[in-house]
Amino acid sequence: MRRGAIVRVVTIALLAAAVATAVAIFIDWLPAADSKEADRIDFVFWVVVAICIAVFAVVAAVTVYSVVKFRARPDDDSDGAPIHGNTTLEIVWTAVPAVLVTAVAVVSAVALAQNGHVPKKHMRVNVLAQQFAWSFSYPKYQGLTVSQLRMPIGEAVQLKMHSKDVIHSFWVPEFGQKQDLVPGIETKLVITPKRLGTYPIACTELCGEGHALMRSEAVVMKPAAFTAWVKAQEKAAARAAQGSAGGGAGLAAFNSNGCSACHTYKPAGSTATTGPDLDNLAADARRAGQPLVPFVRVSIVDPNAYIEKGYQPNIMPDTFKSLPKQQLDALVQFLTAGKK
Ligand code: CUA
């Protein structure tokens, strides 16, 4: 190859690389990386992008150069020179990709191993997924169970995840990782949040009719605010336990079964709006022409029996018919106490 040809190929390669780099850098492709784990995932991403840009530049340069240089002239009908095989070239185009793929594998393996590492100082949170709600419980705080994931900033949190029914998948885009929840096995995920804020949690595995509604939030708080929140939750639970007979058990059942993920109910402090507001149960029962207590009980075990105006059937899970009788009683008591 002549020097002029090399200069031309290299120039085209640099141009192609510049364009591809601009597209990679100046368009905001990724969500902000707000956990240490997301930083590592992003690092792997950019390593792969850099390799892709280099390969693209070489291929684009050789292609463009060849198309221009070796194009058919109008007066030339002859065949090309008969060439077969070029051992050097074949070795190069096998060895280079092999090295690149190995590099990607090594970088990925290191990042995944680091992301899976649980530091000594960490907080455990048990995650339970079911059609179509998330619940989070904190063994460190007497099993405090809530429908929003709250975490203090800077501390590693290990999620130990279970599914009650089908495969779900936990995903917070800003934390960079997805993890399936599979019935019968425990899956784990470590999150070390590094920015304060409220992030969406999405179920990212099609799990039934309410899949799109299976959402919650992850709230990253200052450590002091987190401690205050835990105290407030514990106080609320204690107050509920004193206030109404079975209130503590009812509130616990309400939270641990994910009711708070979909329903607003003042005594539980929940504000979700996927399902009907449970503060209006008495009026709903009247409209259905049913006495309150049986109305509530039937609505839990057979959600399609009465459908409130403005809501769809088949959204609430029908798995609550298998609730232990004690839990169901406590729940009904909790939802009907003080109402007529
Ligand atoms: Cu749970 Cu989709």
Side-chain angles (χ1 to χ4, degrees), residues 252-297:
F254 189 85
N255 284 325
S256 63
N257 288 296
C259 310
S260 53
C262 292
H263 293 283
T264 291
Y265 190 45
K266 284 202 192 92
S270 63
T271 54
T273 53
T274 303
D277 183 340
L278 301 180
D279 295 303
N280 308 326
L281 280 174
D284 297 344
R286 237 174 287 130
R287 223 171 303 127
Q290 299 293 323
L292 179 61
V293 171
F295 171 78
V296 171
R297 183 176 289 265

Side-chain angles (χ1 to χ4, degrees), residues 61-282:
V62 173
T63 307
V64 170
Y65 179 81
S66 303
V67 164
V68 175
K69 168 94 183 163
F70 304 113
R71 71 186 182 279
R73 316 278 157 173
D75 54 343
D76 180 8
D77 287 333
S78 64
D79 286 339
I83 296 170
H84 180 260
N86 183 324
T87 311
T88 317
L89 201 54
E90 283 173 21
I91 289 174
V92 169
W93 78 40
T94 306
V96 171
V99 169
L100 293 181
V101 171
T102 309
V104 171
V106 170
V107 171
S108 306
V110 171
L112 284 177
Q114 286 178 332
N115 278 359
H117 172 74
V118 189
K120 241 190 190 151
K121 185 181 176 325
H122 72 274
M123 185 170 70
R124 206 178 99 196
V125 177
N126 296 327
V127 181
L128 183 67
Q130 62 181 309
Q131 293 168 315
F132 300 98
W134 299 99
S135 63
F136 305 93
S137 70
Y138 297 75
K140 191 174 164 189
Y141 305 109
Q142 288 83 47
L144 165 67
T145 303
V146 288
S147 61
Q148 251 186 353
L149 174 61
R150 296 202 176 233
M151 298 175 287
I153 189 168
E155 187 179 334
V157 173
Q158 187 192 34
L159 305 181
K160 290 200 170 179
M161 313 208 279
H162 293 267
S163 168
K164 237 186 197 175
D165 35 45
V166 299
I167 301 178
H168 303 274
S169 189
F170 178 94
W171 186 38
V172 175
E174 289 83 353
F175 296 160
Q177 309 170 94
K178 285 181 179 178
Q179 177 61 58
D180 279 9
L181 295 88
V182 183
I185 66 171
E186 181 177 81
T187 51
K188 295 172 190 156
L189 192 65
V190 181
I191 300 172
T192 316
K194 47 171 217 176
R195 203 160 299 156
L196 299 173
T198 301
Y199 301 94
I201 298 174
C203 177
T204 175
E205 180 73 59
L206 183 59
C207 56
E209 277 179 285
H211 161 68
L213 300 170
M214 189 166 167
R215 289 176 163 261
S216 182
E217 280 173 338
V219 185
V220 180
M221 314 170 82
K222 287 191 178 143
F226 178 78
T227 311
W229 171 77
V230 168
K231 287 224 173 88
Q233 291 293 313
E234 287 172 338
K235 235 185 236 164
R239 214 181 312 122
Q242 284 171 355
S244 58
L251 177 65
F254 189 85
N255 284 325
S256 63
N257 288 296
C259 310
S260 53
C262 292
H263 293 283
T264 291
Y265 190 45
K266 284 202 192 92
S270 63
T271 54
T273 53
T274 303
D277 183 340
L278 301 180
D279 295 303
N280 308 326
L281 280 174

